[in-house]
Amino acid sequence: MEHSLCKHFRIGILGGMGPESGVLLQQLIIEHTPAQIDQDHIEVITYTNPHIPDRTASLTIDDGESYLKAIAESLLLLEKTGIDILVISCITAHARFEEIQNSLNTPLLNIVELAKQHIIVSDGKVGILATDGTINSQLFMLPDQPEKTVIPEPKFQRIVMEVIYDIKKGIKDRSIIDRLEKIVIHLRQAGCVKILLGCTELSIVHTELRNRLGHIFIDPLRLAAQALVQLARK
């Protein structure tokens, strides 16, 4: 008997930015797949490449050229394995999304656009927690609704960056959530009804944030997992 829900569909994940986020995306794909047996799951190939240059630094130094080259080369390697759709588990990398997609023959899932659809339908303002590179690139801005998104004040944005790089170091203690809570309170006081986790490092602590502060978070990595499972099932 044939049980597979997603036969002959293969997802390629480019991770390593930081290393846990790509692994987390694969785990989330498993969790969102309505499987009864092993054969119901989706084929996934995750390539963790920790040698891709820091995206925020690259955008500052060379307008993203160095990370663009490294990501394109990495995705081309994944393409050779017969991938049906690719995804990059890094939000900031999407600042050069069109150039990356144009270098490929395989569709590349745009995680930023998935998240922006949720911003659009939000019944109020959405606070953005993201890297300096993502914020400076205005990835989550809605041109026709600039008031819909709110970024932290500079002193709070510095804390966001510190937290992101602490998570990259493997730090996941209570201080991470404590610091993020202060920023969330700041954004809520600015009128935000939702908070977008605009960095995949923050997706790693999504559950802890939700348990502390409630179901107010939009997580692009979880949206990506859901979208990929839906594509596979079609």
Side-chain angles (χ1 to χ4, degrees):
M1 181 182 294
E2 179 60 71
H3 290 281
S4 178
L5 295 174
C6 316
K7 190 174 177 63
H8 304 313
F9 190 90
R10 184 174 294 168
I11 297 168
I13 299 172
L14 178 58
M17 302 169 277
E20 280 193 77
S21 65
V23 175
L24 174 59
L25 178 54
Q26 183 167 359
Q27 179 64 40
L28 291 170
I29 290 169
I30 292 170
E31 292 176 6
H32 283 90
T33 301
Q36 300 298 316
I37 58 174
D38 293 346
Q39 290 74 24
D40 285 341
H41 283 280
I42 306 164
E43 294 181 29
V44 180
I45 297 177
T46 300
Y47 174 24
T48 299
N49 183 356
H51 303 298
I52 296 170
D54 183 284
R55 280 64 59 202
T56 291
S58 175
L59 285 166
T60 301
I61 296 168
D62 59 16
D63 197 30
E65 287 298 319
S66 56
Y67 88 73
L68 174 64
K69 181 176 184 293
I71 282 180
E73 291 174 350
S74 300
L75 290 172
L76 286 171
L77 286 176
L78 277 171
E79 262 194 327
K80 293 178 181 179
T81 64
I83 295 296
D84 291 285
I85 190 163
L86 292 158
V87 59
I88 305 168
S89 63
C90 172
I91 300 295
T92 310
H94 286 62
R96 301 294 298 270
F97 181 88
E98 289 187 11
E99 292 99 322
I100 297 170
Q101 178 64 89
N102 290 339
S103 71
L104 304 169
N105 295 312
T106 305
L108 179 64
L109 184 70
N110 192 324
I111 297 179
V112 169
E113 288 303 317
L114 287 176
K116 286 173 76 171
Q117 293 307 308
H118 282 257
I119 296 174
I120 290 170
V121 300
S122 172
D123 58 2
K125 295 179 181 179
V126 177
I128 309 297
L129 300 181
T131 65
D132 291 346
T134 292
I135 288 176
N136 293 337
S137 300
Q138 300 186 330
L139 290 183
F140 293 109
M141 285 288 292
L142 304 178
D144 56 341
Q145 299 182 72
E147 76 288 347
K148 197 72 182 284
T149 54
V150 180
I151 61 174
E153 294 177 4
K155 66 178 181 180
F156 289 108
Q157 179 59 27
R158 285 192 292 272
I159 297 173
V160 174
M161 287 296 288
E162 291 170 1
V163 167
I164 288 171
Y165 282 93
D166 279 349
I167 295 173
K168 287 180 182 292
K169 296 174 186 175
I171 300 172
K172 300 173 194 170
D173 59 21
R174 182 172 175 175
S175 72
I176 294 288
I177 308 304
D178 289 344
R179 283 180 282 168
L180 289 173
E181 181 178 18
K182 292 179 182 178
I183 303 163
V184 170
I185 291 172
H186 157 64
L187 291 170
R188 296 279 273 175
Q189 290 173 341
C192 297
V193 297
K194 294 284 186 179
I195 306 296
L196 187 137
L197 303 180
C199 174
T200 54
E201 299 293 352
L202 299 177
S203 298
I204 295 169
V205 295
H206 170 270
T207 300
E208 290 80 0
L209 285 170
R210 186 189 61 196
N211 290 343
R212 173 84 68 91
L213 300 166
H215 293 265
I216 61 172
F217 298 98
I218 301 170
D219 182 7
L221 208 62
R222 283 166 172 78
L223 296 178
Q226 294 168 10
L228 289 164
V229 171
Q230 290 172 1
L231 285 170
R233 296 189 74 196
K234 289 179 182 177

